[in-house]
Amino acid sequence: MQEKWKRWNTSSRKWLWIMVLIGLVAALTVAYDRLQTERSSKTVEIVFDYRDLVDAASYRANPQDYIAQQLDRLKSAGVQSMAVSESTLEDLRKSRRVMLWGSTDAATLTEGVVQENANYTYVLFTNGDNYKALAPIIKQTFSDLEISVRDWSFRGQQGLILETPIEDATLKPMQPDPLMIETLRAKGFSIVPRLLDSLAYNQESTEKLVQYYESINVKRILFEGESVKGFNDNEDLNSLDAFASLLKEHGMGIAVIENLKKQQNGFNKLAYKLDYNVARLYSLSETDSGLDPVVISDRFALATKDRNIRMLYLNAAPSRDLTKAQITDTLDNLITSLSDSGGAVEKIEDNGFTLGQATAAEVVDSPYQRYFKLISVIGAVALVALMVSYFIPWLTLPALIFGLIGSAGLLVLKPVLFEQALALAVAISAPTLGMVLAIRKINVLGPPLQSSDIGSNAAKKSKLGIGYTVMSPQRRFIHSLVLYVKTALISLSAVPFVVALLNNVTYSLVLEQFRGVSLLHIAPIGLVGLYVLLYRGEFTFNKTGKLLRTPITLAMVILAGVLGVLGLYYLSRTGNSGSVSSLEMSFRTFLENTVHVRPRNKEFLLAHPLFILGAFLTLKYRNAAFIMIVAVIGQLSMVDTFAHIHSPLVISLVRGLLGLGLGAIIGVVAVLAWQIAEGCWKRWSPLLKK
């Protein structure tokens, strides 16, 4: 019975391969839908923070002239939109619309006496137009907050008295300055409002605000602070749904800011209510606005091309320049990075994008996609079962059966957990399976096994390779290249499954993220290492026991320490937060500018060449198989590239193929170098012994 069960499990592999192939075809149809989705949004919007411009202008002798001049320069440089925050009295003071005093200063100004029980804010408008435009907004805002407002004047200028301390009054957000918006629109800028969720949600005032935004052709809204508008009052007022209905009714979307430490509260729910009318935004910080213009332009070009960023947000900040003994800002630097020859605008347009108001991707969801996804799930489970079969053959069928049952259960109970878990499992399995099959092929073609590999009682002439003749270098080289291509194809078979399982707009917008990146970078290395150590020959408990009984030496401890340090460094380089040196950044920029799509360094400089060299050497020197443990990094890295769902499929594919091509070239050079070195050693080593 045991032999029959083993035979069933072993013979089931061919059926598993058939299931994998059918699943691949289904997954590719889902991948095509994603490709169509990615192609639907090709407009990039460059946005400048208007509040930063006002801050910079406040340090100039003629602030209004400076603002007008810089607006013209920014428009000419390619900036289409201005981000406008909700105004505060402090903003209006900086823009010279109003003057502000507390009770004590107002008493001094009017040569009066301070009232003992009145700590108010005195607002004086700098001209009649400012009063007409801003007084109704201020009155409405503070009346809604149940703060008394009354008229006041001084020397013929109209003003208001707000019955709240100036420290409190300057914090209250109001509708953006309409005079400022008129000026910006006259200059040809679109408006991108930034909303706070600091005050109690009021549907009536919010509706008026959204209607006003629609009248000035606002298409997308940003949020300031830790939450989206309506989140704080959602439990009591259902305000998120109400706000979403307003935005949807008036044709407005929102923007998600890349690389926030914590997503703004309520954003995911609001995005869902808006049917994911969301654009991704990259924000260049005030600090980074002083970087070299070439670096900034490269960042913008890469963000739009490689990460589906459709809004570029520019910040600037004034600073004290002691060498010039004056207050400076980074506006000149930003304008240079955008408009110079080879600048960001030119690069973005060369990459096939147009400048304008950002649009969300139109999600393509073909009628039969859910059925193709289901077939893809079966194929993915079969691929995982195949990988299991080469380590524990008698678990092949149980792995398939329990994998299908578990998938069905998770799909119903925890669909997000299910798609991520299965995507991770198949991403680990494919490169591991590819490397295991390559090593098995080398075992067949390569040098004979030693008796220690197969157990002294089982040593046979066929396994010991009596009469074996070492292949010629030419044959070993050809076999190495063939194995390189076959292994890459098996590893890449995971890609359609990962794409199909994670084909959801929430991953493209990074509202959901693929978990387990660190495990993906470790597990295949560990599994291939296990196979090289214990499965080359016949896996026996005697062999495992012998390994466990091996005395630990100082050399082993040092080696383990070195491997641990290398492992930590390797893990520090994985994921989006991996650290990169300035030298490597320069090399990356060179590759990007040279080949347009940058292949991964660890693939074409390390792992892929090591695969070719390792296979070439192992076909002659059996213990060279340990090189293949490192070579698996290239295989898993190719799969990991496609696990970055926010990167376009075409870019990921080109990156992987470039890595394979360049890695093959370097691998061929490494083999030639080895052959030359080996020839020199054979020729000169006898002379050294004399």
Side-chain angles (χ1 to χ4, degrees), residues 116-160:
E116 291 184 0
N117 195 34
N119 186 12
Y120 299 155
T121 301
Y122 291 75
V123 181
L124 193 67
F125 297 91
T126 55
N127 59 49
D129 290 339
N130 290 338
Y131 175 78
K132 289 179 183 178
L134 299 173
I137 295 173
I138 296 174
K139 287 180 179 180
Q140 183 66 50
T141 299
F142 284 86
S143 296
D144 288 345
L145 296 172
E146 299 182 352
I147 296 173
S148 297
V149 182
R150 62 180 186 269
D151 290 326
W152 172 69
S153 64
F154 178 70
R155 293 181 181 176
Q157 292 295 108
Q158 294 170 298
L160 298 171

Side-chain angles (χ1 to χ4, degrees), residues 246-387:
L246 281 176
L247 293 181
K248 201 169 182 180
E249 179 185 347
H250 296 282
M252 295 180 200
I254 56 180
V256 57
I257 303 171
E258 183 186 54
N259 290 335
L260 285 179
K261 291 183 179 178
K262 181 179 180 294
Q263 185 58 266
Q264 291 166 310
N265 295 323
F267 191 95
N268 286 19
K269 181 176 180 179
L270 183 60
Y272 172 76
K273 294 291 182 179
L274 293 175
D275 298 326
Y276 296 103
N277 183 1
V278 182
R280 297 193 72 220
L281 178 147
Y282 168 71
S283 178
L284 186 76
S285 67
E286 289 91 343
T287 303
D288 288 348
S289 67
L291 293 171
D292 187 289
V294 175
V295 174
I296 295 174
S297 65
D298 284 342
R299 282 193 183 185
F300 287 165
L302 284 172
T304 53
K305 178 171 65 71
D306 285 12
R307 304 199 302 278
N308 277 327
I309 296 293
R310 294 298 177 263
M311 299 181 77
L312 301 171
Y313 194 96
L314 280 61
N315 292 279
S319 61
R320 299 177 184 273
D321 190 332
L322 299 179
T323 60
K324 296 180 181 179
Q326 66 182 36
I327 304 295
T328 62
D329 55 56
T330 54
L331 279 161
D332 288 344
N333 195 59
L334 289 172
I335 290 170
T336 299
S337 70
L338 292 173
S339 60
D340 267 15
S341 177
V345 171
E346 183 179 318
K347 290 179 179 178
I348 290 169
E349 291 178 339
D350 287 346
N351 288 335
F353 298 98
T354 57
L355 299 183
Q357 287 183 293
T359 57
E362 296 179 10
V363 178
V364 176
D365 190 355
S366 60
Y368 300 103
Q369 187 181 121
R370 65 177 64 184
Y371 304 109
F372 289 133
K373 267 193 170 184
L374 181 59
I375 297 171
S376 301
V377 167
I378 298 172
V381 173
L383 184 57
V384 176
L386 265 174
M387 188 272 291

Side-chain angles (χ1 to χ4, degrees), residues 10 14 75 125 156 177 182 224 237 280 298 310 385 416 499 502 516 528 531 590-591 594 628 632 668:
T10 303
K14 66 177 181 180
K75 185 64 180 176
F125 297 91
D177 176 3
E182 286 178 15
E224 292 188 271
L237 303 176
R280 297 193 72 220
D298 284 342
R310 294 298 177 263
V416 175
V499 171
L502 304 181
V528 171
Y531 195 88
F590 167 76
L591 287 173
T594 303
M628 306 300 280
V632 74
V668 170

Side-chain angles (χ1 to χ4, degrees), residues 75-92:
K75 185 64 180 176
S76 299
V79 176
Q80 304 98 13
S81 304
M82 284 286 153
V84 176
S85 299
E86 293 177 280
S87 295
T88 64
L89 289 175
E90 180 62 24
D91 293 328
L92 298 178

